[in-house]
Amino acid sequence: MTTAIKYPHAAGFVAGDRPKIVTSRFEHADSYTIERFLATGGYAGLRKALGRAATDVHEEVKSATVLGRGGAGFPAGTKWGLTPQQVFPKYLVVNGDESEPGTYKDRLLMERDPHQLIEGCLIACYAAGLSQCFLYIRGEMALAQERVATALNEAYAAGYVGKNILGSKFSVDIVLHWGAGAYVVGEETALIESLEGNRGMPRLKPPFFPAANGLYGQPTIVNNVETLANLPWLMVNGSEAYTAIGTKTSPGTRMVAVSGHVKNPGVFEIINGTTTFRDLLYGAEFCGGIRNDNELKAFVPGGGSAPWFTADQLDLPFEASQVGPAGSMLGSGAIMVMDSTTDIPAAALTLTHFYAHESCGKCTPCREGGTWLERILTRIVEGTGTEADLQQILEVGAMICPGDFPHASNEKLGLAAVPFPYKMTTICFVGPSAFAPLHSAITLFRSEFEARLVKRISIPVTAVSTPPTVWA
Amino acid sequence: MSRLNEANIKTALEIIARYPRPKSALIPLLHLAQEQNGYVTNEAMVHLGELVGVTSAEVYGTATFYEMFRFEPVGKYLVNICGTMSCALMGAGDLMHHAEQKLGVKAGGTTADGMFTLAHAECQAACTEAPTLQVNYRFRYKVTNGDFDTLIDDLKNGKLADEIPAHGVVARIRQRIPADRGVGAVAPELVTENPAWMDGKAAL
Ligand SMILES: Cc1cc2nc3c(=O)[nH]c(=O)nc-3n(C[C@H](O)[C@H](O)[C@H](O)COP(=O)(O)O)c2cc1C
Ligand code: SF4
Ligand code: FES
């Protein structure tokens, strides 16, 4: 029996007897200091990388198939290879804007092990020939900003960052940048706009992806914090050791936050590809079951944008190739659990409100549609909605995402799954995300919406003129 | 005085120098202005425009996109209660209701003494610790009504002054790049060759 230890200094993090690639230092209260970092193998991965040709390091990362942990799951090594060879400078932008509902991991990685992230950034810059790195931290994360600032100051002083790193010909600056509160800025092209000092509105892609045309119109790699935090371990242990963990298509580990109605909510570093949702929700080393031993009603498998699952999907593993066809996505490793007592329309409203509120306003279906969805749903939740409102929600949704919207299968309802992804009329995923939770909720729990509707019953009556006193 | 003061101008110039294009420094500089005055004043926006070489309208355009920037005074302590799904499932609605009672203001309002502004916030990346709140961006986890009362009393009595600075200050530690260690930012059009280490040989 494994013992789950909660480290009080790493709020929410639960360790276990599993391989630790990115959380190996979390057990130490002083894990964020350079002393602890160096005493536990810190910057050894950088030294190893610099001892090899850049192209060689790039190949190593490619063969490890480090899947992006920011949401889309695109392999980092492949992404780095998409930059044009003869265009420079190229930039690295680190996405530390973590704000997808349910997601809690990048903040821990920045607060608890900032040097590991810095080392990861350096390895990426070295391997992909990136001349400057901008580390963009969400504005509201005061402690993460302080810890990363301190770590950078230490690393500069000790010669790990800046000019001639470790005395080599490798020189790169890492600039700490911080946001000011806007969810959509987590989208990579909006992140770049924001870093250029503009309103954080996504750019239309295609034709240009950041790898070809990003920051200041230059080739730019945008990578998530967790993605980069994997690189030091990978450099020290090699891609074979990395791919020995997890499955062929989803190697290594990944950080997952499970919140909501479970006995022991927490953040876990799990084995990728094989760990199932059942393990996570019910396993003794993870969440230990639903609170008060209630029944599971539904769960969000991959952040607020993801279509919902129910108990029927519990045995799916953390494997994109299985979760996609089942009608949802793994996204940013965020699971939100609802037990049998949950008011489903109200729960969906918290998410629809979120995405409507966070719309940047660039595309009409998202700007208008999101707001409509929120208003109509609010009416239903408050008990003043009608059957026509329910219909209208689906019509507005179809304007954001035409065609069949992905959803899970459900045995009781006799539903077959509609696979992920969806079609969309918007530039980014914020618009569809306002509809996703609502669509899942209506598809899987329609009766709960219907029970809330105002019934208009027509009774045949004869017109009667009202006495004037009523108006007095 | 709501343009940047001398010390902050120095910091601002240091920050601007780190970017290949000055406008990139705008958000950090807006934070600096808010740190100095508690909110972002019109004069500060004009000043920032001068510093990075854009019009004050452009500064305003950027500033108004981001929720953390305030254009009017707010309470010394901004209390942001998360209301997104995980927190809502764990009782954030009740907590907000209690907070409104305790402070005597509705969400969005500021207490008459200017001490507290109460606000509804979105997911704070602490979902496993729901319900959560931030006071001037410092976390409180699994907050009960009792915890909330204690927090407010402690803030009133100055007991948390060391931990929680007044509104406007986010991080209290800044990055400093020593002149002899930094590579320095170069405008992209001035870079004419691949980085030195991309020569097919090991760097060490
Ligand atoms: C609306 C929206 C919000 C996003 N927010 C984040 C975020 O907060 N953090 C993040 O790493 N990626 C986020 N992403 C994904 C990024 O666009 C991008 O795919 C990712 O940072 C790439 O890094 P990776 O390949 O290492 O995963 C978001 C995407 C969208 C559409
Ligand atoms: S989908 Fe919404 S958030 Fe995304 S670009 Fe369009 S309007 Fe902006
Ligand atoms: S939902 Fe409240 S912190 Fe994420």
Side-chain angles (χ1 to χ4, degrees):
Chain A
M1 163 100 197
T2 50
T3 38
I5 314 153
K6 281 203 182 209
Y7 303 124
H9 50 269
F13 177 72
V14 183
D17 290 341
R18 294 180 298 277
K20 292 187 190 74
I21 292 180
V22 293
T23 62
S24 64
R25 291 183 191 88
F26 281 24
E27 65 187 275
H28 302 289
D30 61 352
S31 60
Y32 55 91
T33 61
I34 194 164
E35 292 79 17
R36 174 63 65 188
F37 189 68
L38 292 174
T40 48
Y43 291 116
L46 172 68
R47 209 174 283 277
K48 254 203 155 147
L50 297 190
R52 300 166 65 175
T55 44
D56 222 35
V57 176
H58 188 169
E59 278 310 313
E60 184 88 48
V61 176
K62 249 193 215 162
S63 47
T65 324
V66 182
L67 300 181
R69 307 294 205 265
F74 195 77
T78 312
K79 189 191 276 188
W80 302 352
L82 297 177
T83 57
Q85 289 288 310
Q86 286 309 313
V87 184
F88 24 74
K90 303 179 178 65
Y91 299 112
L92 174 64
V93 177
V94 185
N95 196 339
D97 195 56
E98 183 169 66
S99 23
E100 171 78 2
T103 313
Y104 173 28
K105 62 187 182 71
D106 298 339
R107 182 167 71 85
L108 264 176
L109 289 170
M110 292 186 281
E111 288 178 0
R112 299 308 317 171
D113 204 342
H115 283 286
Q116 173 175 260
L117 172 61
I118 292 169
E119 189 180 0
C121 297
L122 294 169
I123 294 168
C125 287
Y126 181 69
L130 314 175
S131 311
Q132 200 176 355
C133 170
F134 300 92
L135 210 167
Y136 191 123
I137 303 182
R138 180 174 170 182
E140 292 94 333
M141 295 180 179
L143 182 62
Q145 292 164 24
E146 290 179 351
R147 291 267 166 89
V148 173
T150 307
L152 279 170
N153 291 347
E154 291 167 339
Y156 263 100
Y160 292 107
V161 188
K163 237 186 262 177
N164 302 112
I165 294 170
L166 300 176
S168 75
K169 63 189 166 196
F170 174 50
S171 300
V172 75
D173 272 336
I174 299 180
V175 174
L176 172 60
H177 188 88
W178 58 111
Y183 161 72
V184 67
V185 161
E187 196 278 338
E188 55 187 6
T189 58
L191 192 72
I192 289 169
E193 281 292 329
S194 182
L195 187 50
E196 289 183 3
N198 303 327
R199 295 171 77 83
M201 293 170 146
R203 296 174 179 171
L204 194 61
K205 54 174 190 182
F208 296 122
F209 287 86
N213 183 327
L215 186 64
Y216 316 125
Q218 296 298 122
T220 302
I221 296 298
V222 180
N223 268 141
N224 169 262
V225 164
E226 186 191 343
T227 312
L228 294 164
N230 273 277
L231 301 180
W233 190 97
L234 171 58
M235 275 306 116
V236 171
N237 298 282
S239 56
E240 265 179 50
Y242 191 85
T243 50
I245 304 169
T247 59
K248 192 163 183 305
T249 41
S250 300
T253 63
R254 71 177 291 171
M255 302 259 304
V256 174
V258 191
S259 58
H261 296 158
V262 284
K263 282 186 185 152
N264 308 308
V267 186
F268 312 93
E269 181 169 2
I270 64 165
I271 295 178
N272 216 352
T274 55
T275 311
T276 65
F277 291 105
R278 189 184 301 281
D279 295 338
L280 269 173
L281 268 54
Y282 291 93
E285 58 174 322
F286 298 108
C287 296
I290 309 301
R291 69 163 183 190
N292 305 330
D293 290 320
N294 286 347
E295 269 192 46
L296 170 67
K297 197 164 187 177
F299 63 97
V300 183
S305 312
W308 298 0
F309 281 164
T310 64
D312 291 16
Q313 283 77 37
L314 276 175
D315 291 314
L316 284 173
F318 257 74
E319 176 73 61
S321 63
Q322 293 188 47
V323 170
S328 192
M329 61 166 187
L330 292 172
S332 50
I335 301 174
M336 295 184 277
V337 180
M338 292 168 264
D339 74 3
S340 49
T341 66
T342 308
D343 176 345
I344 291 286
L349 178 56
T350 69
L351 290 176
T352 297
H353 163 79
F354 177 89
Y355 294 103
H357 175 81
E358 298 296 338
S359 169
C360 82
K362 194 163 177 172
C363 344
T364 313
C366 169
R367 183 185 64 240
E368 301 298 320
T371 316
W372 276 52
L373 290 176
E374 187 193 353
R375 277 198 208 142
I376 303 170
L377 179 56
T378 303
R379 278 208 290 275
I380 295 179
V381 169
E382 287 175 351
T384 57
T386 64
E387 180 65 38
D389 280 336
L390 202 49
Q391 200 47 44
Q392 181 100 63
I393 285 178
L394 299 174
E395 280 166 24
V396 172
M399 285 180 211
I400 305 172
C401 296
D404 280 348
F405 197 84
H407 65 74
S409 65
N410 193 282
E411 211 180 289
K412 235 187 320 183
L413 299 171
L415 283 177
V418 172
F420 205 78
Y422 36 71
K423 295 196 194 74
M424 57 201 250
T425 58
T426 55
I427 294 174
C428 86
F429 295 96
V430 172
S433 301
F435 183 51
L438 190 43
H439 179 271
S440 287
I442 294 178
T443 307
L444 300 168
F445 304 96
R446 193 175 180 111
S447 61
E448 291 195 29
F449 287 84
E450 284 169 345
R452 292 279 244 283
L453 302 178
V454 178
K455 300 281 183 305
R456 299 244 157 95
I457 306 162
S458 45
I459 308 166
V461 289
T462 312
V464 178
S465 53
T466 357
T469 48
V470 170
W471 306 107
Chain B
M1 231 300 271
S2 50
R3 289 168 66 91
L4 294 189
N5 61 32
E6 282 307 316
N8 281 336
I9 292 176
K10 209 167 146 261
T11 306
L13 294 176
E14 222 179 278
I15 293 174
I16 293 169
R18 287 179 201 155
Y19 297 92
R21 299 230 191 279
K23 195 183 178 190
S24 282
L26 209 44
I27 293 174
L29 297 196
L30 282 159
H31 276 296
L32 192 63
Q34 179 150 288
E35 186 171 320
Q36 179 182 299
N37 302 316
Y39 66 106
V40 181
T41 64
N42 287 343
E43 291 84 350
M45 285 190 277
V46 171
H47 194 182
L48 298 190
E50 292 164 14
L51 287 169
V52 305
V54 301
T55 65
S56 49
E58 276 180 87
V59 179
Y60 186 69
T62 296
T64 49
F65 188 81
Y66 300 92
E67 236 156 275
M68 288 173 77
F69 298 131
R70 302 286 183 135
F71 305 95
E72 293 163 14
V74 290
K76 182 174 178 195
Y77 297 111
L78 174 63
V79 182
N80 280 329
I81 297 184
C82 176
T84 311
M85 187 183 239
S86 304
C87 290
L89 289 172
M90 299 304 285
D94 292 341
L95 178 62
M96 180 56 99
H97 186 72
H98 175 79
E100 289 179 337
Q101 303 286 323
K102 168 87 183 165
L103 294 175
V105 293
K106 285 275 181 203
T110 300
T111 55
D113 61 2
M115 276 290 275
F116 300 100
T117 297
L118 180 65
H120 167 100
E122 301 296 350
C123 183
Q124 298 174 330
C127 320
T128 62
E129 310 307 291
T132 68
L133 63 76
Q134 287 188 318
V135 186
N136 292 350
Y137 307 106
R138 267 72 187 170
F139 278 101
R140 288 296 181 272
Y141 300 131
K142 298 189 171 156
V143 184
T144 63
N145 290 351
D147 294 342
F148 186 84
D149 293 349
T150 313
L151 171 68
I152 295 301
D153 296 342
D154 286 352
L155 286 166
K156 273 189 189 154
N157 300 332
K159 275 197 200 155
L160 298 172
D162 285 346
E163 187 206 340
I164 305 177
H167 180 259
V169 178
V170 187
R172 285 162 301 184
I173 299 163
R174 286 188 192 288
Q175 179 180 16
R176 299 276 178 205
I177 302 181
D180 60 330
R181 287 288 318 136
V183 181
V186 188
E189 59 276 12
L190 300 178
V191 180
T192 53
E193 51 191 22
N194 248 334
W197 66 92
M198 297 304 281
D199 56 0
K201 288 187 248 139
L204 268 183

